[in-house]
Amino acid sequence: MERPVTVACVQVEPVVFDREATLEKVATLAAEAAGAGAELVVFPETFVPVYPSSLWARAFAGWAAPGAKETFARIAQGSVAVGSPAERRLGEIAKANGVWLVTGVNEVEAERPGTIYNSLLYHAPDGSLALHHRKLVPTNHERLVWGQGDGRGLHAVETGFGRVGGLICWENYMPLARFALYESGVEIYIASTADDGDAWQATLVHIARESRAFVVAPCHFQRASAYPDDFALRELIDGVDTIGRGGSAILAPDGSYLAGPLYDAEGILYAELDPARVLEERQRFDAVGHYSRPDVLGLTLNVPD
């Protein structure tokens, strides 16, 4: 890392199924974080326009489940295509606030809409899309919603304060995917998620200790009250209060917590990252340096043209 930097890890509800209103919420919160001195602002997994909770996404497995097709179409209609006005709006937000903006989105391809992807979009302070990562393997019920990603985003990008990259939720359990980031020199590791379980915190500690990088891990927070009245699968969340309780956190390269975890509330976590911490922890262990054996072990990464 070139210098210290303040980062912001955002845990708030989206305006469920409303892409434009959610983008405006991103703009408001990014401005708040920038005003607090943050230069990197990170939002949770598929923040735009919704994370498909297992409570209701399981309905997609039924051939004739009432409301399932309608809900899938609603997610697709609220998704973000690279190059679209919605994606450019994220770039405008980054540029207006002079920040690196990392946003979890449901993504579709403008030319071939139909398949939805779980993606992280990294916008630079000049508004450009600097990195585009699609989740490699959707988990459990998510396979009813998203297609498989590819290797285009399995690397870190230079920001001027350090190298930033990351993975989404349970693809963080894929050792070779993590190693691809390590080989690219990641120093600030994004672990965007919807996993609000206690065990996820142990995963974050492990990633920090293995990567010897800072970890910024925003988790989705949802309440049933955030869903619109015309949600076609509403009966599946009737009687439910909290759908996703959060658990966002920022960790140091030794696995200690700098902020969070935050549960059962909206908020923005902040931390100032000291570059010396990365070097201190890599004295004893560097996964792609003095603790690697490229003569014995190697990774082949296939990146689409």
Side-chain angles (χ1 to χ4, degrees):
M1 291 179 63
E2 288 79 9
R3 58 177 176 81
V5 62
T6 297
V7 300
C9 180
V10 180
Q11 177 173 298
V12 299
E13 289 178 306
V15 183
V16 175
F17 293 124
D18 189 329
R19 180 181 60 206
E20 306 312 318
T22 299
L23 290 175
E24 289 311 305
K25 196 164 189 177
V26 171
T28 298
L29 293 163
E32 178 182 339
E39 295 182 66
L40 171 66
V41 184
V42 188
F43 285 82
E45 179 178 11
T46 60
F47 184 70
V48 184
V50 69
Y51 173 77
S53 167
S54 60
L55 288 176
W56 53 265
R58 57 191 168 89
F60 296 157
W63 285 106
K69 289 184 178 181
E70 177 184 339
T71 300
F72 183 89
R74 195 168 187 178
I75 297 171
Q77 288 168 338
S79 295
V80 176
V82 170
S84 70
E87 185 263 310
R88 293 197 299 271
R89 177 70 179 122
L90 290 170
E92 292 167 359
I93 294 167
K95 186 173 182 178
N97 294 286
V99 299
W100 279 84
L101 180 66
V102 183
T103 315
V105 303
N106 288 275
E107 182 210 349
V108 291
E109 295 181 329
E111 320 81 46
R112 296 184 299 275
T115 297
I116 307 172
Y117 299 93
N118 177 341
S119 300
L120 281 181
L121 303 180
Y122 296 65
H123 286 89
D126 64 1
S128 63
L129 179 61
L131 185 62
H132 172 198
H133 172 62
R134 289 176 172 171
K135 188 175 186 178
L136 294 171
V137 182
T139 304
N140 197 41
H141 67 283
E142 296 173 354
R143 300 185 188 196
L144 301 169
V145 185
W146 298 317
Q148 291 192 325
D150 50 48
R152 76 184 70 190
L154 290 178
H155 62 92
V157 292
E158 181 55 61
T159 63
F161 48 77
R163 296 186 63 79
V164 177
L167 299 173
I168 304 168
C169 205
W170 275 29
E171 67 175 350
N172 282 286
Y173 289 129
M174 300 173 71
L176 297 183
R178 296 198 309 272
F179 194 76
L181 291 178
Y182 303 163
E183 283 197 322
S184 72
V186 67
E187 296 165 311
I188 302 173
Y189 187 116
I190 308 300
S192 179
T193 192
D195 189 338
D196 61 359
D198 294 337
W200 179 250
Q201 298 301 320
T203 296
L204 297 179
V205 171
H206 172 82
I207 291 171
R209 290 177 58 82
E210 182 179 72
S211 66
R212 269 13 187 211
F214 292 101
V215 175
V216 182
C219 186
H220 92 115
F221 177 68
Q222 283 187 34
R223 291 166 292 198
S225 60
Y227 281 73
D229 292 339
D230 61 351
F231 175 39
L233 298 175
R234 172 160 286 283
E235 70 277 5
L236 296 179
I237 60 171
D238 282 344
V240 176
D241 180 17
T242 301
I243 293 175
R245 66 182 183 133
S248 300
I250 305 172
L251 289 83
D254 64 352
S256 62
Y257 283 85
L258 298 174
L262 173 64
Y263 289 107
D264 299 313
E266 292 188 314
I268 303 177
L269 302 177
Y270 296 96
E272 183 175 346
L273 312 186
D274 178 1
R277 296 292 298 276
V278 174
L279 299 175
E280 289 169 357
E281 295 307 320
R282 291 183 180 179
Q283 181 259 330
R284 293 183 179 178
F285 182 86
D286 181 357
V288 292
H290 61 78
Y291 221 95
S292 66
R293 285 294 304 274
D295 56 320
V296 179
L297 302 167
L299 169 66
T300 299
L301 178 61
N302 296 317
V303 180
D305 296 332

